[in-house]
Amino acid sequence: MQTKIEKISPTSLQWAKELIEKGDVVGIPTETVYGLGGNAFNDDAVKKIFEVKGRPNDNPLIAHIHRDYDLTKIIDYDPPYAKKLREAFLPGPLTLVYPSTGKVSPYVSCGLNTLAVRVPSHEGAQAFLRLVDIPIVAPSANLSKHVSPTSANHVYDDFAGKIPLILDGGNSTGGIESTVCDVTGDYPVILRPGLITKEMIEKVCGICEVYTPNFDSGEKVKSPGVLYKHYSPRCQTYLFGFDEIDGALWKAEILKKESLKVGILCENGVKTEFEKAGFLVFDLGTTEREMATNLYGQLRLAEKLVDALIAVEPKKQDGVMTGVMNRLKKACLSTDVPRKG
Ligand code: AMP
Ligand code: MG
């Protein structure tokens, strides 16, 4: 199969619509990362998404809708505080998990009786969702465990020959996946951190908790996909704390002596130390939003250029950086054993 990258236009959108109606999957841009989209009502399309990504079949998908789509078609209960969250943050990088009507394919939520729903703000995504006028499930358009894609070319790198079309809507500016927030209970609970932070949700609802799975209690994990090794570049990775620059340099020298090409991923403020020592630096930028935007692009660039990547945690760790660090830690895991965080 030939994979085409097409800029968003009335013609490419119409082609995407026809493919979706046939049960095919299509690469689509959003403001967070690119997604691999399919018809949420079509079992075969949903199964194809899991298959083509190699996604574990206990990791549920998010349904994407346009801003005027009638939510009551797919969700069963809508607490008043969820409405407040939608008014404050949507369209945008916030996914809400509701009780489901069970109308979408059962494969979407992997047997859970809830449904995750998001309204992306990306104009091209909105135009596409409006044209198809059905919920589109769209996990990040990367092979399972690989770095998420923030450009049409990233999607091509993972799925060339496997999907017919990638809609090109430019680089994703958000850079990390949406915040996933459970609204099935009395107050919001964050299942996956992202650009909409706990503090921002607290301001709107007065209260917001962050879910951490308790492995020892034997409880069923609420959002299985948050546990896996994820977002990982295809090179060796090592993670150092922001106060461990000497340790990072020492490790880099050792790896260099082993004849490996070594790169350093770090925030802009500390990069000169590594440049002076002669290492290739992958610069995350300065502000928390810049670091979110740049993270995946730099990880994908690093895997092409070096054998080993030493990541140094940025100093700021709260707010949006909670989401960035969540991704960076998983990207640098050396095993696939489920773990907290
Ligand atoms: P991705 O599409 O790759 O960004 O991953 C989707 C994320 O949303 C994963 O972390 C899933 O676990 C989470 N998710 C999707 N549907 C649900 C659901 N019904 N309940 C809890 N988490 C969900
Ligand atoms: Mg993903």
Side-chain angles (χ1 to χ4, degrees):
M1 177 190 294
Q2 213 200 344
T3 302
K4 285 256 195 171
I5 299 182
E6 296 283 338
K7 288 241 175 319
I8 300 242
S9 70
T11 318
S12 64
L13 286 171
Q14 184 55 34
W15 183 22
K17 178 177 192 249
E18 284 159 20
L19 289 167
I20 292 289
E21 283 168 355
K22 276 199 315 187
D24 248 316
V25 298
V26 171
I28 55 169
T30 85
E31 73 280 15
T32 57
V33 300
Y34 272 67
L36 200 57
N39 178 353
F41 293 123
N42 180 329
D43 289 352
D44 290 336
V46 180
K47 282 197 267 184
K48 201 180 279 180
I49 290 176
F50 279 91
E51 217 174 271
V52 78
K53 269 183 67 88
R55 185 174 176 101
N57 61 11
D58 65 349
N59 188 4
L61 305 179
I62 297 171
H64 293 66
I65 55 174
H66 64 77
R67 57 196 308 167
D68 299 318
Y69 189 82
D70 179 7
L71 248 188
T72 61
K73 285 187 189 165
I74 49 174
I75 67 153
D76 207 22
Y77 175 65
D78 185 19
Y81 72 84
K83 184 164 186 260
K84 282 197 202 167
L85 288 173
R86 288 200 299 277
E87 282 168 3
F89 302 118
L90 301 190
L94 176 67
T95 295
L96 299 177
V97 177
Y98 303 88
S100 173
T101 55
K103 296 260 166 61
V104 299
S105 163
Y107 296 101
V108 170
S109 293
C110 307
L112 299 171
N113 56 11
T114 50
L115 178 67
V117 184
R118 180 163 115 73
V119 184
S121 63
H122 188 287
E123 271 182 31
Q126 276 292 321
F128 164 70
L129 292 167
R130 220 170 257 287
L131 191 66
V132 295
D133 201 26
I134 45 172
I136 294 291
V137 278
S140 52
N142 52 281
L143 290 168
S144 193
K145 300 191 177 65
H146 193 212
V147 184
S148 301
T150 52
S151 73
N153 284 332
H154 290 162
V155 182
Y156 189 87
D157 285 346
D158 280 17
F159 294 112
K162 295 186 185 140
I163 60 173
L165 172 65
I166 301 164
L167 289 175
D168 185 352
N171 288 348
S172 301
T173 51
I176 58 170
E177 295 82 351
S178 60
T179 303
V180 177
C181 182
D182 183 308
V183 295
T184 61
D186 294 337
Y187 50 83
V189 179
I190 291 180
L191 304 178
R192 175 177 73 184
L195 296 175
I196 306 295
T197 63
K198 178 178 191 283
E199 295 74 23
M200 290 160 79
I201 294 177
E202 263 166 359
K203 263 199 191 147
V204 173
C205 298
I207 175 171
C208 174
E209 289 203 349
V210 177
Y211 173 73
T212 33
N214 182 348
F215 290 102
D216 304 328
S217 71
E219 105 187 91
K220 197 164 185 279
V221 170
K222 273 197 173 182
S223 195
V226 300
L227 299 178
Y228 302 108
K229 175 179 166 76
H230 231 110
Y231 322 113
S232 302
R234 297 189 178 116
C235 57
Q236 294 178 31
T237 49
Y238 303 88
L239 182 63
F240 284 81
F242 69 87
D243 55 353
E244 293 177 321
I245 288 184
D246 289 347
L249 272 168
W250 175 77
K251 182 72 187 176
E253 295 292 352
I254 290 181
L255 292 168
K256 197 168 136 192
K257 282 198 188 108
E258 291 171 11
S259 303
L260 296 176
K261 261 202 225 160
V262 184
I264 312 283
L265 177 82
C266 62
E267 64 185 314
N268 181 278
V270 301
K271 75 173 185 174
T272 41
E273 303 233 21
F274 297 104
E275 280 173 347
K276 268 195 252 158
F279 292 105
L280 187 58
V281 166
F282 298 91
D283 186 355
L284 284 171
T286 304
T287 66
E288 56 184 6
R289 290 301 293 243
E290 270 170 24
M291 292 198 242
T293 306
N294 295 335
L295 177 68
Y296 291 142
Q298 293 294 46
L299 287 173
R300 279 191 178 247
L301 187 61
E303 73 179 2
K304 290 197 169 143
L305 299 180
V306 300
D307 306 307
L309 182 67
I310 297 198
V312 180
E313 289 182 7
K315 187 159 188 199
K316 183 167 175 5
Q317 304 258 320
D318 58 354
V320 168
M321 290 309 290
T322 312
V324 175
M325 284 312 303
N326 166 275
R327 304 327 190 260
L328 186 56
K329 280 186 182 153
K330 288 195 173 102
C332 294
L333 276 181
S334 55
T335 67
D336 196 17
V337 180
R339 51 159 277 171
K340 272 189 207 176

